[in-house]
Amino acid sequence: MTWEQTIECIRQDPAFADLVRDAYYESNLSANVERFRTGEEFKATISLIESIMPEATVVADIGSGNGMATLAWALSDYYVYSVEPDPSSTVGAGAIRRLLIDYNLHDKISVIESYGEDTSLPDELVDIVYIRQAMHHARDLERMMRECYRILRKGGVLLTARDHVIFDDNDKTLFLKAHPLHKYYGGENAYTETQYLDAITKAGFQDIKILRFYDSVINFFPLSEQDVSNMLKEKKNRIISSLRKRIGLLASFPLMQTFYLKYIKFDPSNVYNEKAVPGRLYTFIARKIV
Ligand SMILES: C[S@@+](CC[C@H](N)C(=O)[O-])C[C@H]1O[C@@H](n2cnc3c(N)ncnc32)[C@H](O)[C@@H]1O
């Protein structure tokens, strides 16, 4: 099946309803746009960009899919070059063109049907290169990063959001096996952190920062900030309730709880164990400093 056929197929299957909603694959394209632009992930993305480059006004959204992020940037008053190789009107450039008409945003968006390795955009055109869940699809990662560097203005920012990271070949096999759609269209992919970093560095980028899975809602959405902070509380509650079964009311005293957590060497970092998340998503931020 192609990617488009896969999405059309899972839209009909109630078992995939959550995935379709959370991945913004609904057939109502403007509903995807509205949920994405008002969600925690995009708010965190915009506030990150505003903190690094408040003067930015022009974005290239590479591998822009059905365009929900392109529209979100344009509705936040950025000019967007939306680069997407798939012509499909369900999941690709055709869908973005439909949204452009629905929102009447012809003066804020250009759609370019190209690969990220060769966008055909002029040199030093944009302030921000944004790539959401698409860098890991690069046929040639180094070439894509060189292209991003070329189209960025001096001082511009590369923001690659939500790319699958694997630790080694074995971890990649586990990730592809666990991926809910890979078995249908076979197009999923992931690289190691070192492979991403090498490609970004070789292209000339500097000041590279990594947001690992639990560092930001940009990665862990559809979990919310609140969900992630509750994970620690819930784990502690489970430990205390098992203690209560053994020593009764004594377990309600905060001092006893602190003592017990120390005694069992409770380590909060084990709660946020990204190794338990197959193909955990990372975000990379880098700058073109010349
Ligand atoms: C998982 S989708 C992400 C789409 C969108 N950015 C989003 O967040 O919903 C990956 C997208 O990358 C596109 N893609 C695949 N290979 C690409 C490449 N070499 N350069 C640019 N985009 C690519 C696919 O056509 C697809 O639309």
Side-chain angles (χ1 to χ4, degrees):
M1 269 200 270
T2 64
W3 178 236
E4 181 176 27
Q5 287 164 340
T6 305
I7 298 305
E8 279 170 354
C9 180
I10 65 168
R11 279 177 183 161
Q12 315 301 322
D13 185 341
F16 286 101
D18 287 351
L19 188 153
V20 167
R21 192 195 55 243
D22 293 340
Y24 306 100
Y25 293 149
E26 286 178 310
S27 50
N28 182 340
L29 295 174
S30 53
N32 296 327
V33 172
E34 294 310 318
R35 273 191 309 104
F36 179 73
R37 80 186 182 102
T38 54
E40 273 190 45
E41 181 201 329
F42 188 63
K43 282 183 185 162
T45 304
I46 285 276
S47 102
L48 180 66
I49 285 300
E50 283 175 355
S51 71
I52 308 173
M53 198 180 183
E55 70 279 22
T57 55
V58 185
V59 179
D61 179 8
I62 310 264
S64 45
N66 67 8
M68 49 86 187
T70 288
L71 269 283
W73 285 105
L75 293 165
S76 304
D77 224 16
Y78 291 83
Y79 189 91
V80 191
Y81 293 93
S82 187
V83 179
E84 170 55 50
D86 186 338
S88 142
S89 57
T90 307
V91 289
I96 311 169
R97 291 194 185 99
R98 276 166 58 195
L99 281 168
L100 210 145
I101 295 166
D102 291 350
Y103 281 82
N104 194 17
L105 279 171
H106 297 85
D107 57 339
K108 298 289 287 180
I109 298 171
S110 298
V111 183
I112 299 107
E113 240 173 80
S114 290
Y115 285 93
E117 287 88 340
D118 184 8
T119 63
S120 76
L121 292 171
D123 292 355
E124 301 190 6
L125 177 72
V126 304
D127 302 309
I128 310 287
V129 170
Y130 172 72
I131 316 180
R132 182 183 186 272
Q133 292 188 185
M135 177 169 66
H136 59 269
H137 288 286
R139 294 166 167 191
D140 184 334
L141 198 54
E142 287 184 18
R143 196 163 150 209
M144 184 188 274
M145 289 304 101
R146 279 199 304 275
E147 179 70 354
C148 293
Y149 191 86
R150 184 186 69 74
I151 64 172
L152 268 174
R153 291 197 182 121
K154 292 184 183 90
V157 175
L158 169 74
L159 174 60
T160 68
R162 297 170 66 91
D163 279 297
H164 291 297
V165 172
I166 34 107
F167 300 121
D168 50 36
D169 286 348
N170 190 38
D171 191 37
K172 184 171 177 179
T173 307
L174 293 175
F175 159 59
L176 293 179
K177 230 173 156 183
H179 194 282
L181 302 182
H182 182 67
K183 58 178 166 290
Y184 301 113
Y185 83 111
E188 203 39 71
N189 194 26
Y191 291 99
T192 64
E193 178 182 310
T194 308
Q195 286 173 315
Y196 288 121
L197 283 178
D198 279 355
I200 294 170
T201 309
K202 278 186 190 158
F205 285 104
Q206 295 177 49
D207 206 5
I208 304 169
K209 294 189 180 66
I210 307 176
L211 297 177
R212 295 196 173 80
F213 186 65
Y214 283 113
D215 290 343
S216 169
V217 68
I218 295 176
N219 299 320
F220 57 68
F221 177 87
L223 291 179
S224 65
E225 300 267 15
Q226 191 60 55
D227 293 333
V228 167
S229 94
N230 285 348
M231 283 165 64
L232 187 58
K233 282 187 214 140
E234 282 160 14
K235 179 71 184 173
K236 281 186 181 168
N237 286 346
R238 281 199 295 278
I239 293 171
I240 301 305
S241 102
S242 78
L243 180 66
R244 193 168 289 126
K245 280 186 192 133
R246 284 163 46 206
I247 65 168
L249 273 181
L250 213 56
S252 309
F253 290 100
L255 206 63
M256 173 56 85
Q257 294 176 0
T258 311
F259 171 77
Y260 185 65
L261 290 170
K262 254 194 177 151
Y263 173 71
I264 62 166
K265 297 192 172 66
F266 174 71
D267 180 357
S269 68
N270 289 339
V271 176
Y272 300 114
N273 175 15
E274 62 168 30
K275 286 193 175 141
V277 183
R280 69 288 312 155
L281 299 162
Y282 280 20
T283 290
F284 296 85
I285 305 143
R287 211 138 192 179
K288 176 172 177 174
I289 300 171
V290 188

